[in-house]
Amino acid sequence: GENVEQHPSTLSVQEGDSAVIKCTYSDSASNYFPWYKQELGKRPQLIIDIRSNVGEKKDQRIAVTLNKTAKHFSLHITETQPEDSAVYFCAASKTGANNLFFGTGTRLTVIP
Amino acid sequence: NAGVTQTPKFRILKIGQSMTLQCTQDMNHNYMYWYRQDPGMGLKLIYYSVGAGITDKGEVPNGYNVSRSTTEDFPLRLELAAPSQTSVYFCASTTRASEAFFGQGTRLTVV
């Protein structure tokens, strides 16, 4: 099956700085790459996703980039704010698959 | 739409007891999943289902059982609870290669 690796496991940034979280995947057939945010004590929720037919997608301060050749994708958060503090999970899936494979998570702390 | 609903939110079990975690979704999703999340850790897949009557094991199925008699419901059964099953359990549903919707989680403590 798919193997998704995520780095770093923890990340601290000053408020206003950018944060980047990286994931690699093993199955070249994967074509759907979502990112989930999990605030303390709450459920994971989708914040952005990208499909393999595009290389980059933006939504306000959040962007995701995908490099299919290298089999990695990244989450970029600009102008970080304290409310961005959470655990972020990447995931990978493919059409026809029965499963969604998650990375191990990155705990982001934004220091005011 | 309620989305994915899990019950209960909290539960304390004694070692050796059994219980069922309930999960219901109203989005007509074929795919449903059970994950466990240990403190400070990621999501580990316990069982999943691709449709009514079909279930399969994930990464950590030992000590658990599931059933999928309807599209809406996907209960998780714990038999003979052990301290190692202390965790937060999330149910999720999705259509193929699209957003997964999670329930609010069940915090289970086995003492």
Side-chain angles (χ1 to χ4, degrees), chain A residues 31-32 34 36 38 41-46 49 51 87 89 93-105 107, chain B residues 2 4 31 33 35 37 39-43 45 48-50 58 90 94 96-105 107:
Chain A
N31 57 5
Y32 176 65
Y36 290 82
Q38 186 180 28
K42 297 193 175 180
R43 74 189 83 183
Q45 291 192 298
L46 182 75
D49 57 11
R51 297 189 184 270
V87 177
F89 293 98
S93 181
K94 62 183 177 182
T95 305
N98 299 331
N99 212 334
L100 183 63
F101 296 89
F102 284 91
T104 49
R107 182 175 300 278
Chain B
V4 180
Y31 296 82
Y33 309 91
Y35 293 91
Q37 185 176 35
M41 302 294 284
L43 297 159
L45 183 64
Y48 66 97
S49 169
V50 301
F90 287 100
T94 183
R96 193 170 282 176
S98 66
E99 178 180 0
F101 292 84
F102 286 83
Q104 71 269 39
R107 187 175 297 275

Side-chain angles (χ1 to χ4, degrees), chain A residues 48-110:
Chain A
I48 195 167
D49 57 11
I50 190 168
R51 297 189 184 270
S52 59
N53 56 346
V54 298
E56 184 176 3
K57 184 177 179 180
K58 285 185 177 180
D59 183 3
Q60 299 182 333
R61 298 185 296 107
I62 295 173
V64 57
T65 58
L66 172 65
N67 184 326
K68 287 190 64 180
T69 303
K71 290 191 285 188
H72 68 71
F73 57 111
S74 300
L75 178 71
H76 304 254
I77 306 174
T78 58
E79 300 172 16
T80 54
Q81 301 169 3
E83 52 264 38
D84 295 329
S85 294
V87 177
Y88 292 81
F89 293 98
C90 64
S93 181
K94 62 183 177 182
T95 305
N98 299 331
N99 212 334
L100 183 63
F101 296 89
F102 284 91
T104 49
T106 297
R107 182 175 300 278
L108 173 65
T109 302
V110 180

